[in-house]
Every structure is written in structure tokens, then in C-alpha cells.
Amino acid sequence: MTTLHSARGRMSSGPTRSAGRAQRILAIGAALLALPYFMLKVVWLSGSRIGIQDPDFGRSAVMHALNGATLGLDLAVLGLATVFYRNARPRSLLVVPPMWIGYGLLGQILLLIVPATLLQPTTSASAGPDAIAGWVYAVVYTGFCGIGLCLLPAFALYARDRWGRDWSRPLKSVAPQPVPAFTTSVAVLVALALAGYGLTRGDLRDGVPWLTDAGLGALAVLALLALSRGMTALPRWSALLVLFAGSGAWVAWGVYGLVLELVPNDLTSGPSSAAPVILNAAKVAGGLALARTIRRHA
């Protein structure tokens, strides 16, 4: 079997098959849905204030840097969509790590978009205008959800074709391997800490993201146990997907949270407290530890 880490990420030496119709359609959809966000970031970086209602918002060097970084992520989406459309075979390091982060970022947005919308308070008539116009959020998060619904399954089809020739085998048919005790213990402790913090939030809107993090971590641990011990008839790809997405979510959103907590910016107000910083750092460490186990099982 050709694995994610075989040939140390070199390009495939055999002939490349053309992408299937579904994969091409999904890749086109991801690219098209990335364009509004791309154009918005370009006009903001060029000095336009479209969609910004607060005259002081977004003028700092930090905010320009954050806009540049997120523009880079959008360019990565366009590049990956091109790879999936052409069914190209670049080095694995150019595809797998970006999609690992992509599954973490976009997958969690897809999980949280409905509860976030339902829990959004109705703005009173006396409230002042938000720093960013409402239509900007609608455009951005509609795009994020659309990209997630297109890019993530496109990668799944691409990965199955490139690496996963026996991913459909049931887990219980695979020879048992030792459970990585340290990684499992760390992940469980981090998940419990995240759940405890989420349950103590006074506002449900603040607690749901932390509880989602805890749930994703718990599922990733269960997936790791299933891959190691082969204790279910589910196909291998299901456990690999959960471990891939869960570890990616911890790292992606942990880094994002650390940036918001530690770097002065216009998106947060007031000084940072110790608990979110520690928990976000723990998510990054736990996610990286879980990710190291993927190579052994893929």
C-alpha cells in the first residue's frame, strides 16, 4: 500500500489518473466560493474601508498582518482546488498539512455555524453599529461553509485515490498495535479540561466552542484506540478521518486562539486571562501529539 509518508513525499512515479467528475466539480466549487473572501481581503489590504463601520477598526499593523495571513490561507484553498481538479501529484507535504489545518478550521466552522446562528442575540435598536457590517459576516461565513462542503470531500476523494487503497478494510481486520499511552493520556486530560472550562462559562455562546473542542478531542482519542486495537467493524477511513480532523481542529483553533489572546488586536477587548491561553496551548500540544500517530496508521 502506498501510504501518506511513503517515498518521503516524493511525486508519484506512475501515471496520474484524471480526477473523477465529482472531485472536479467539488474542486471548482471550492475555488469559486473562495473568490469573494479573496476579493474582500485584497480590497481591505489596498486601503478600502468597504464593510467596515468603525473608523478606527483594522488600521493597525497587526490587523494588516492578520488580513495578509488569512489572504494566504485563501490562496492555499485556490491552490489545493487546482491540485484536486487536475488530480496532480505534488509532494505530500504540499497537500496533507494544509488540508489537515483545513479540516480543522472548516470542519469546526461547519459544526458550529448552526448553534452560533441560533444563539446569536437580536441586536436592539439602541445598540451602536458593529465594527464590521453584517453583510460581511454573511459573505465570509457562507463562503467558509461552502468551501468546507466542497474542499473537504474533494480531498477525501483525492486521498483515497492517491493513498488509501485499503482504507475501506474493517478496523477489526487490522493487526492490533500498542496504544500510545502518553499521547492518549495527554489528549484525555486536555479534553476534560476543555469540557470543564466550557461548562463553567456563564454565557452559552462562550461555552459551546470549548465543549466542541472537548468533543472533537474525545472522538479523536476513540478513533486512535479503534485504529490501535481494531475493536470495531467500521472501515479504517472513518477512524482516520476523525483523528485527522480532530487533531487538526485542536492545532488550528489553538493557534488562532493564542494569536487573539497574546497579540494586541481589534478583534478582542481587554487583557487576556490565563485560562484561555493555557487551554489553547494545551490544544496545540495535544493536537500535534495526536497527529504524530496518523502516520503510523495511514
Side-chain angles (χ1 to χ4, degrees):
M1 179 187 71
T2 303
T3 64
L4 292 178
H5 54 284
S6 65
R8 298 185 180 181
R10 294 187 179 90
M11 295 180 65
S12 174
S13 58
T16 301
R17 297 193 305 173
S18 60
R21 182 180 180 184
Q23 184 175 315
R24 292 197 303 270
I25 292 173
L26 290 168
I28 292 172
L32 292 176
L33 288 162
L35 292 178
Y37 189 76
F38 173 81
M39 292 186 289
L40 185 63
K41 291 295 180 176
V42 168
V43 297
W44 279 355
L45 287 169
S46 65
S48 172
R49 305 288 294 171
I50 184 172
I52 299 178
Q53 301 175 146
D54 185 339
D56 297 323
F57 182 87
R59 295 188 181 276
S60 67
V62 170
M63 293 302 293
H64 285 300
L66 290 176
N67 279 327
T70 50
L71 175 61
L73 292 176
D74 206 51
L75 289 172
V77 170
L78 294 172
L80 289 165
T82 302
V83 168
F84 301 153
Y85 180 82
R86 298 179 58 192
N87 212 31
R89 295 292 192 266
R91 294 174 64 90
S92 297
L93 285 175
L94 296 177
V95 179
V96 178
M99 283 307 307
W100 175 58
I101 295 298
Y103 260 83
L105 287 173
L106 297 170
Q108 190 151 335
I109 288 174
L110 289 172
L111 287 175
L112 288 175
I113 192 67
V114 172
T117 302
L118 294 176
L119 294 172
Q120 184 68 27
T122 303
T123 304
S124 64
S126 60
D130 293 330
I132 300 176
W135 67 263
V136 174
Y137 290 107
V139 168
V140 167
Y141 282 96
T142 299
F144 285 168
C145 291
I147 293 169
L149 292 172
C150 291
L151 194 69
L152 305 190
F155 173 69
L157 295 172
Y158 173 89
R160 183 188 63 181
D161 180 59
R162 183 171 178 179
W163 298 295
R165 290 183 175 83
D166 71 342
W167 285 356
S168 60
R169 290 173 56 194
L171 284 162
K172 63 182 181 181
S173 70
V174 180
Q177 301 182 38
V179 176
F182 178 77
T183 297
T184 303
S185 300
V186 168
V188 168
L189 289 174
V190 173
L192 289 173
L194 292 169
Y197 188 73
L199 290 171
T200 60
R201 297 298 85 205
D203 190 335
L204 186 58
R205 289 173 297 163
D206 294 334
V208 166
W210 296 102
L211 293 172
T212 302
D213 286 334
L216 288 172
L219 289 173
V221 169
L222 291 175
L224 178 57
L225 293 175
L227 286 165
S228 299
R229 306 309 298 169
M231 54 188 184
T232 175
L234 290 173
R236 291 181 65 238
W237 66 261
S238 61
L240 285 169
L241 176 62
V242 171
L243 183 56
F244 189 74
S247 60
W250 271 14
V251 172
W253 288 103
V255 170
Y256 177 78
L258 286 173
V259 170
L260 291 187
E261 293 289 341
L262 298 177
V263 180
N265 61 83
D266 297 345
L267 299 173
T268 56
S269 59
S272 302
S273 59
V277 174
I278 294 172
L279 288 173
N280 279 310
K283 282 195 298 184
V284 174
L288 290 172
L290 287 169
R292 291 189 62 187
T293 67
I294 298 174
R295 291 172 60 91
R296 185 174 65 183
H297 295 286

